[in-house]
């Protein structure tokens, strides 16, 4: 079945450095790739998403790139700040019939050290 | 305020005692779903619904039931809870039937089955 692999599972960076989280997916029909941030004890919140007709999207310090041929997409956070510390989840759509669902990666715990 | 509301937020109960976790959204969203979150496994979809009276299984539906009698409500029912259903549960909704739209999550329900 559809699988989304996310790496690394933990990531520690110094404040001001960049952080990169990578995901791979298996369903070539996937067309939507969101990223969610989950702070401790809180709900996941969408931080950025990308659709299959776009190769890159940027929103201030956050960017996402998509390589459809290789079936992988990445989250890039520049100039990291302590408030970026959280668990980040990638996801990809699994489409079938008239419906579909989101398959999530296992999560990356990002720690930004002051 | 646009939101997804889950109740209860916390529940400790015993094996075999039926329970219902309610979920309600006030955004007139078509798509609703339930996820469970376990350490190292990310978010796994239990059930989803694309419209009133339309529900379908996600990746881990065993031991759960849902219903969608009204557009705004999507309760999760555990008919005979077991300890392996101890988890953090999230309800989510998105605006259209298509899964390729941002998911809005509730605050979560932490269930402990003894």
């Amino acid at each position: 079945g559809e699988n989304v692999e996310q790496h690394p599972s933990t990531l520690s960076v110094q404040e001001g450095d960049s952080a990169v989280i990578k995901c791979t997916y298996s369903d070539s029909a996937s067309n939507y790739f969101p990223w969610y941030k989950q702070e401790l004890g809180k709900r996941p919140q969408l931080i950025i998403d990308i659709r299959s007709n776009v190769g890159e999207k940027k929103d201030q310090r956050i960017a996402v790139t998509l390589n459809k041929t290789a079936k992988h997409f990445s989250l890039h956070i520049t100039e990291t700040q302590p408030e970026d510390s959280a668990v980040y989840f990638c996801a990809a759509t699994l489409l079938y019939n008239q419906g579909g669902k989101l398959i999530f990666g296992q999560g990356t715990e990002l720690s930004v050290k002051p | 305020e646009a939101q997804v509301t889950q109740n209860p937020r916390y529940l400790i109960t015993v094996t075999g005692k039926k329970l219902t976790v309610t979920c309600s959204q006030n955004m007139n969203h078509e798509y609703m779903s339930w996820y469970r979150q376990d350490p190292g496994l990310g978010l796994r979809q239990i059930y989803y619904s694309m419209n009133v009276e339309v529900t379908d299984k996600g990746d881990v539906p065993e031991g759960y039931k849902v219903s969608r009698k009204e557009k705004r409500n999507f309760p999760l029912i555990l008919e005979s809870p077991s300890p392996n259903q101890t988890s953090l549960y999230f309800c989510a909704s998105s605006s259209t039937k298509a899964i390729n739209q941002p998911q809005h999550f509730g605050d979560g329900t932490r269930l402990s089955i003894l």
Side-chain angles (χ1 to χ4, degrees):
Chain A
E2 169 70 354
N3 193 38
V4 175
E5 293 288 334
Q6 183 172 347
H7 298 280
S9 56
T10 60
L11 179 59
S12 182
V13 300
Q14 285 296 130
E15 182 177 359
D17 288 350
S18 295
V20 180
I21 302 170
K22 298 182 179 182
C23 288
T24 60
Y25 62 98
S26 57
D27 185 1
S28 56
S30 294
N31 65 0
Y32 177 64
F33 308 91
W35 285 89
Y36 287 84
K37 175 183 180 182
Q38 186 179 27
E39 296 176 353
L40 190 62
K42 298 196 174 178
R43 73 180 83 174
Q45 291 196 297
L46 181 76
I47 55 170
I48 195 167
D49 56 11
I50 191 168
R51 299 184 186 277
S52 57
N53 59 347
V54 176
E56 184 175 356
K57 184 176 178 181
K58 190 173 180 180
D59 183 4
Q60 299 182 350
R61 296 185 298 108
I62 294 172
V64 57
T65 58
L66 171 65
N67 183 327
K68 285 193 296 181
T69 303
K71 287 192 257 182
H72 67 70
F73 56 113
S74 300
L75 178 71
H76 304 254
I77 306 174
T78 58
E79 300 171 27
T80 53
Q81 300 167 4
E83 50 266 39
D84 294 328
S85 296
V87 178
Y88 291 81
F89 292 99
C90 64
T93 50
L94 175 61
L95 304 172
Y96 47 82
N97 297 328
Q98 298 181 27
K101 55 186 179 182
L102 270 180
I103 307 296
F104 284 83
Q106 299 87 343
T108 296
E109 184 174 0
L110 174 64
S111 176
V112 180
K113 299 187 186 308
Chain B
E1 180 188 351
Q3 59 187 359
V4 178
T5 303
Q6 295 178 229
N7 279 296
R9 293 290 316 282
Y10 305 91
L11 179 62
I12 301 174
T13 188
V14 295
T15 298
K17 186 177 180 181
K18 180 180 178 180
L19 68 89
T20 299
V21 184
T22 63
C23 174
S24 181
Q25 51 90 8
N26 62 0
M27 296 170 279
N28 201 36
H29 281 176
E30 305 265 4
Y31 190 105
M32 297 186 74
S33 60
W34 277 102
Y35 297 89
R36 61 177 288 173
Q37 183 175 18
D38 301 290
L41 297 177
L43 290 149
R44 294 179 293 166
Q45 192 175 49
I46 303 170
Y47 268 95
Y48 66 96
S49 169
M50 291 189 288
N51 210 336
V52 175
E53 302 293 359
V54 179
T55 63
D56 207 348
K57 296 177 181 178
D59 293 319
V60 288
E62 295 77 19
Y64 304 94
K65 285 174 60 176
V66 293
S67 68
R68 187 92 181 273
K69 294 184 171 58
E70 308 163 279
K71 197 173 188 178
R72 63 183 293 132
N73 296 323
F74 190 46
L76 179 70
I77 303 156
L78 285 72
E79 293 271 5
S80 183
S82 62
N84 64 9
Q85 292 177 299
T86 292
S87 187
L88 178 59
Y89 292 85
F90 286 100
C91 180
S93 71
S94 59
S95 56
T96 69
K97 292 184 178 68
I99 188 54
N100 56 351
Q101 296 295 329
Q103 300 266 298
H104 299 261
F105 285 85
D107 284 329
T109 296
R110 188 166 291 281
L111 282 184
S112 294
I113 315 294
L114 304 177

